[in-house]
Amino acid sequence: MKTFAFITAKGGCGKSSLTLEAATVFGNMYGKEKVLVIDLDQQLSISKNCGADTEAPNILDVLQGDVPIMDAVQHNDLFDIIIASPKLARADNIFDRAEEDEYLLADVLDFAKDTYDYVFIDPAPSRNILQEMLYIAADYIVIPTRVDESSLDAVVTTENELNRLTNGRNKKSHAKLIGYVLNEYNKQTALGQMALETLELSSEEKENNPFIATVSSAIRVSEAKTLHTAVCRTEKSSKTGREIYAIVEQMLEKIGEDA
């Protein structure tokens, strides 16, 4: 079982959208019953966008041991999903690092490894213990960003956080950074070119040379989410659909190199 997360330290960079689209592509390629999405966002963004039942058992129920993980799974037209809970906003008060609660997500995912080949974790919008759970449970990280300076600064923050957990004293995480996705990219603009060059330099500094992918527009993705579906399900031959498929191809290439 391979576990992915699109994560960055800044909101509005397309984390949930990329999770929904990439998980849909994996479902198209390998069978939706082999792909599980875990929603850690207290706003339930991806849960709502794929049309899940938001009153069903959720990931908080699972992490607290009230519901077995497989009993919280909903079968969807796009993939299987375990929804989030608004109560996750209080995660730092619910869970205790002193009790090693940051390992809970990795532990419960062990019970799903015989059912699913691929898991996507949609991150919480704020930096809290849920983020640490994600880094510990994930195998592969892709950092989405936009072309503005604050979004690119967040890439560095995210890399530093991952490095702290993978190379720190306790080496809590084994996750590998495999790629960057530059959203709202326009090669005709100076800002777009500067952002792309920044990511290229960052990739060159790393031994595994994370891939760099671009998405030119998020309009079609937003429209699809409103209809509780994905561009890669309804318009996969569109420019946006082709860009998402290209991202997935590069993800697969990177995990192939890691095999």
Side-chain angles (χ1 to χ4, degrees):
M1 185 175 76
K2 306 295 186 184
T3 303
F4 300 94
F6 292 90
I7 184 167
T8 182
K10 184 178 183 298
C13 289
K15 298 185 293 290
S16 294
S17 295
L18 286 168
T19 301
L20 186 146
E21 293 291 341
T24 298
V25 174
F26 272 78
N28 290 345
M29 296 172 69
Y30 300 107
K32 62 184 181 181
E33 72 280 357
K34 291 295 184 180
V35 179
L36 175 65
V37 171
I38 306 285
D39 190 356
L40 293 182
D41 180 357
Q42 69 256 23
Q43 298 170 353
L44 287 82
S45 296
I46 199 168
S47 299
K48 294 174 181 177
N49 292 335
C50 74
D53 177 5
T54 57
E55 299 299 322
N58 58 66
I59 190 61
L60 180 59
D61 298 326
V62 174
L63 294 173
Q64 292 185 303
D66 297 327
V67 176
I69 184 169
M70 297 310 297
D71 288 354
V73 171
Q74 295 185 47
H75 305 294
N76 191 276
D77 286 341
L78 303 177
F79 39 68
D80 284 1
I81 186 168
I82 299 177
I83 64 167
S85 165
K87 295 179 182 178
L88 289 172
R90 298 188 294 105
D92 280 337
N93 296 320
I94 296 172
F95 300 107
D96 187 354
R97 285 184 175 85
E99 298 295 327
E100 298 191 333
D101 282 353
E102 64 264 42
Y103 293 93
L104 282 173
L105 182 58
D107 290 343
V108 298
L109 281 176
D110 275 343
F111 293 97
K113 64 184 179 182
D114 292 331
T115 303
Y116 296 101
D117 293 334
Y118 302 101
V119 174
F120 288 80
I121 306 172
D122 191 39
S126 56
R127 296 174 68 191
N128 56 23
I129 193 171
L130 295 175
Q131 298 281 39
E132 200 154 321
M133 286 186 189
L134 181 152
Y135 282 119
I136 292 171
D139 299 310
Y140 302 105
I141 300 294
V142 179
I143 302 178
T145 186
R146 295 188 184 277
V147 300
D148 59 279
E149 184 177 13
S150 61
S151 295
L152 292 169
D153 287 345
V155 172
V156 178
T157 301
T158 305
E159 291 175 335
N160 290 341
E161 182 71 4
L162 179 59
N163 184 62
R164 179 182 70 83
L165 291 168
T166 55
N167 298 312
R169 179 181 301 177
N170 296 322
K171 291 182 168 54
K172 292 182 177 181
S173 173
H174 64 275
K176 294 182 178 181
L177 172 62
I178 60 170
Y180 306 95
V181 177
L182 182 57
N183 280 306
E184 300 293 338
Y185 171 68
N186 183 342
K187 64 181 181 181
Q188 304 297 331
T189 66
L191 198 60
Q193 285 303 307
M194 289 174 60
L196 186 60
E197 289 169 6
T198 298
L199 295 179
E200 288 172 344
L201 287 172
S202 184
S203 176
E204 289 170 4
E205 291 172 353
K206 296 172 178 59
E207 185 177 349
N208 68 328
N209 295 121
F211 70 80
I212 300 168
T214 60
V215 177
S216 55
S217 174
I219 294 175
R220 286 185 181 273
V221 174
S222 297
E223 291 174 346
K225 289 192 299 184
T226 302
L227 298 173
H228 297 165
T229 188
V231 169
C232 291
R233 177 70 179 273
T234 60
E235 299 181 73
K236 65 181 183 180
S237 62
S238 66
K239 183 177 181 180
T240 303
R242 295 194 306 271
E243 289 170 336
I244 300 295
Y245 265 88
I247 292 169
V248 169
E249 288 172 3
Q250 291 180 87
M251 292 170 66
L252 290 170
E253 181 178 340
K254 282 298 181 184
I255 67 174
E257 292 174 3
D258 195 42

